[in-house]
Amino acid sequence: MSNSLEGGTEETAVDVVIVGAGFAGLTAAERLVNMGVSVLVVEGRDRVGGRAFSGEVAGVKVDLGATWVARRHTAIRDLASRLGCTTTSQFDEGHNVLWMDGQRSTYTGTFPAVSPEAVEDLARIQMAVAELTSTINVDSAWESPDAGQLDAISFGEWLDQQQATTSTRALMTILTKVQWGCSPGDVSLLHALRYIRAAGGVEHMLSVEGGQQEERITETTQEIAVRLAERLGDRVVVGAPVRRITQDDSGVTVSTDSKVINAKYAIVTAAPSHRADIDFEPALPDKAEGLAKTWRLGTLSKAFVAYEKPFWRSSGLSGEALTDTGTVFITFDVSPDDNGPGVLMAFCDPRVFDGFNPADRRRRVIDQLVELYGAQASAPIDYVDHCWGPASEPFAPGGPNPAVAPYASVSYGSALTEPHGRIHWAGVETAGEWAGTMNGAVLTGQQTAERVAQRLGKRADTGAQ
Ligand SMILES: Cc1cc2nc3c(=O)[nH]c(=O)nc-3n(C[C@H](O)[C@H](O)[C@H](O)COP(=O)(O)OP(=O)(O)OC[C@H]3O[C@@H](n4cnc5c(N)ncnc54)[C@H](O)[C@@H]3O)c2cc1C
């Protein structure tokens, strides 16, 4: 891996230039290299991994971005295991804490049982969601039956129409904040249904055992990307934002501040809204422009608080909490074991977090952990946080997923994957199956590489090196 600042302006020629060194870009590169195609991956940040990014708290490596892999996420798991990364089960023993309507209670299982009526209402809404998701075509949701109607209202408006109770709404708000980094009123019902279907349903999305939160990557998710980039060597250049892509009948030219790369094809893995930061010549068609302008990424922030020991475990608590008020809205226990530092991972609402200075952010999180876990939570030994909004991530901010407002799926969704001449699109947003997950990102990288390789007259690759 090299840094673009190390050289002056230079011109390079390869078969395929890949924009972005997240999971989609790196796996596209790996697959093409395995087929004998020459590649260069250009990444705007000074690191690889994209939305997978590691930090450290009390000497424990933590995931500031993507964390979990489900058993069904076989593409990312295969990649991790080929690169010598291992998985750790998400700690899930004991009671979970619920903070709702100013009341603290505990529960077990995926969904809190606030009252028999609340359980019944949640089941009713889940069934209605399941019925609607069964009609969604994940590869092109905008072509699903009733797509126009489903895209004309927000998930929040639909919950209103269904007369969802306060507790059901609170849970769906938590799901929306963690999945799309926004409120239910900000995301189209069609878009929400597409992601829920792609993620295997609400229960799979929210569960630990047998669900999306079942396991973490022990070495951190970014470490998978770091190891893959190491294998790709000088084919990966970081600190090189792509400013301009021009093309004609013979090829594409990709320009960064210090490099000009000539190639036969380009694969762009930037999230749709970041495509808009690149100057394309010829310009993108109207639909693709519309996509780049409307499929903005939501935002989510995370804090990690370390204690001498995971003290909550000895009180029979799992470290999992759901809250409907304040800054923190979910917590999980990501401690290495019973004896080492205890680490709580807290998902924070950027609207009441990102704008504060680091000391205030820390205080807000710890105050809330005291409400959830008691006075012992007031004495942490270390703290780290990360905001995915533009304050901490000036380049390509946002995540986990696009918060697509009503009408923008039907109007622009087809532009997600439609090539623009010699420019092909990959990245998790282009995934059908497993959209929204690292697994989806890996699949799109590999599949797009296969399509481009075919155009270059190469034989399909089977995967592993
Ligand atoms: C807080 C958070 C929590 C998450 N939790 C999970 C989880 O638990 N499990 C899970 O499976 N997924 C999770 N995700 C989602 C997961 O991280 C993404 O789906 C996946 O990493 C996307 O990979 P990608 O390669 O498609 O995109 P990215 O990782 O975004 O990679 C795209 C790359 O392109 C680069 N780029 C953009 N524009 C340019 C340009 N002009 N020039 C050069 N480079 C450019 C970007 O810098 C970036 O590195 C989470 C994400 C976040 C933010």
Side-chain angles (χ1 to χ4, degrees):
M1 188 163 59
S2 62
N3 193 303
S4 75
L5 299 176
E6 286 164 6
T9 305
E10 59 178 74
E11 202 159 331
T12 317
V14 286
D15 292 326
V16 181
V17 59
I18 297 168
V19 180
F23 286 116
L26 293 171
T27 52
E30 181 193 42
R31 189 139 291 193
L32 287 167
V33 168
N34 287 353
M35 286 186 274
V37 176
S38 62
V39 302
L40 190 71
V41 183
V42 266
E43 166 57 51
R45 288 182 164 103
D46 60 2
R47 60 170 182 82
V48 299
R51 282 169 262 178
F53 182 34
S54 312
E56 201 172 299
V57 69
V60 178
K61 285 263 167 103
V62 290
D63 294 302
L64 303 173
T67 303
W68 291 290
V69 288
R71 296 225 177 250
R72 289 155 70 186
H73 291 175
T74 51
I76 184 78
R77 295 173 77 92
D78 287 352
L79 178 67
S81 119
R82 277 196 287 119
L83 294 164
C85 291
T86 54
T87 54
T88 298
S89 295
Q90 174 56 51
F91 185 81
D92 187 34
E93 289 164 29
H95 284 76
N96 308 330
V97 175
L98 177 71
W99 183 277
M100 202 169 275
D101 282 336
Q103 301 270 330
R104 183 185 181 280
S105 58
T106 58
Y107 67 98
T108 51
T110 302
F111 300 107
V114 183
S115 66
E117 297 75 37
V119 172
E120 201 178 301
D121 191 64
L122 184 61
R124 175 179 73 86
I125 293 296
Q126 263 188 272
M127 266 175 63
V129 167
E131 210 169 291
L132 288 175
T133 52
S134 70
T135 68
I136 303 296
N137 170 352
V138 277
D139 291 319
S140 45
W142 32 95
E143 287 169 5
S144 307
D146 303 325
Q149 257 174 287
L150 299 172
D151 202 29
I153 58 168
S154 69
F155 186 36
E157 285 167 323
W158 179 80
L159 289 169
D160 288 345
Q161 283 177 4
Q162 301 299 309
Q163 299 182 328
T165 60
T166 310
S167 60
T168 299
R169 222 194 141 90
L171 283 175
M172 292 299 139
T173 300
I174 289 171
L175 178 141
T176 309
K177 283 194 210 169
V178 81
Q179 191 64 31
W180 300 285
C182 66
S183 300
D186 298 330
V187 63
S188 134
L189 176 61
L190 179 67
H191 184 71
L193 294 171
R194 173 177 180 241
Y195 272 68
I196 293 170
R197 168 116 199 202
V202 169
E203 184 138 13
H204 188 258
M205 248 170 150
L206 295 180
S207 298
V208 174
E209 199 182 336
Q212 235 166 232
Q213 279 71 241
E214 185 146 26
E215 290 187 316
R216 297 184 279 117
I217 300 293
T218 318
E219 296 78 9
T220 75
T221 57
Q222 191 195 4
E223 182 62 19
I224 307 172
V226 168
R227 292 185 187 185
L228 184 50
E230 275 166 12
R231 284 203 180 177
L232 291 164
D234 285 347
R235 298 181 188 98
V236 182
V237 181
V238 297
V242 168
R243 309 289 186 197
R244 187 171 159 79
I245 306 183
T246 61
Q247 60 174 316
D248 60 22
D249 291 344
S250 59
V252 297
T253 301
V254 169
S255 307
T256 71
D257 296 335
S258 60
K259 285 191 192 303
V260 173
I261 306 127
N262 297 307
K264 296 183 184 111
Y265 291 95
I267 297 177
V268 176
T269 69
S273 54
H274 300 137
R275 296 179 189 175
D277 300 330
I278 301 172
D279 178 17
F280 291 93
E281 175 62 44
L284 295 177
D286 288 349
K287 254 196 183 202
E289 285 274 3
L291 177 90
K293 289 195 177 121
T294 57
W295 277 52
R296 69 169 185 92
L297 285 174
T299 49
L300 180 61
S301 300
K302 280 171 103 173
F304 294 82
V305 189
Y307 299 91
E308 290 288 353
K309 295 259 157 39
F311 63 85
W312 50 93
R313 292 188 186 181
S314 44
S315 322
L317 295 177
S318 64
E320 277 173 57
L322 294 177
T323 76
D324 70 347
T325 31
T327 297
V328 174
F329 58 94
I330 304 186
T331 71
F332 275 95
D333 177 345
V334 292
S335 316
D337 53 50
D338 282 346
N339 307 314
V343 183
L344 285 172
M345 170 169 76
F347 285 87
C348 304
D349 185 333
R351 295 170 301 179
V352 283
F353 189 69
D354 292 16
F356 292 96
N357 66 42
D360 284 343
R361 291 204 301 267
R362 184 180 194 273
R363 186 185 46 76
R364 291 176 82 85
V365 170
I366 290 164
D367 284 354
Q368 225 177 325
L369 294 183
V370 170
E371 284 179 345
L372 296 170
Y373 295 106
Q376 276 178 288
S378 66
I381 56 167
D382 202 3
Y383 172 94
V384 70
D385 67 30
H386 191 75
C387 307
W388 283 89
S392 310
E393 289 282 353
F395 188 79
N401 294 307
V404 179
Y407 300 108
S409 276
V410 164
S411 301
Y412 306 118
S414 63
L416 275 173
T417 51
E418 182 66 36
H420 176 46
R422 291 174 169 271
I423 302 167
H424 290 249
W425 311 105
V428 70
E429 285 76 21
T430 68
E433 199 190 1
W434 303 121
T437 67
M438 295 176 284
N439 200 57
V442 168
L443 290 171
T444 70
Q446 294 171 341
Q447 289 159 359
T448 311
E450 299 278 353
R451 281 196 291 275
V452 170
Q454 262 182 16
R455 300 206 173 197
L456 290 165
K458 299 284 177 183
R459 253 179 355 101
D461 172 57
T462 49
Q465 276 183 347

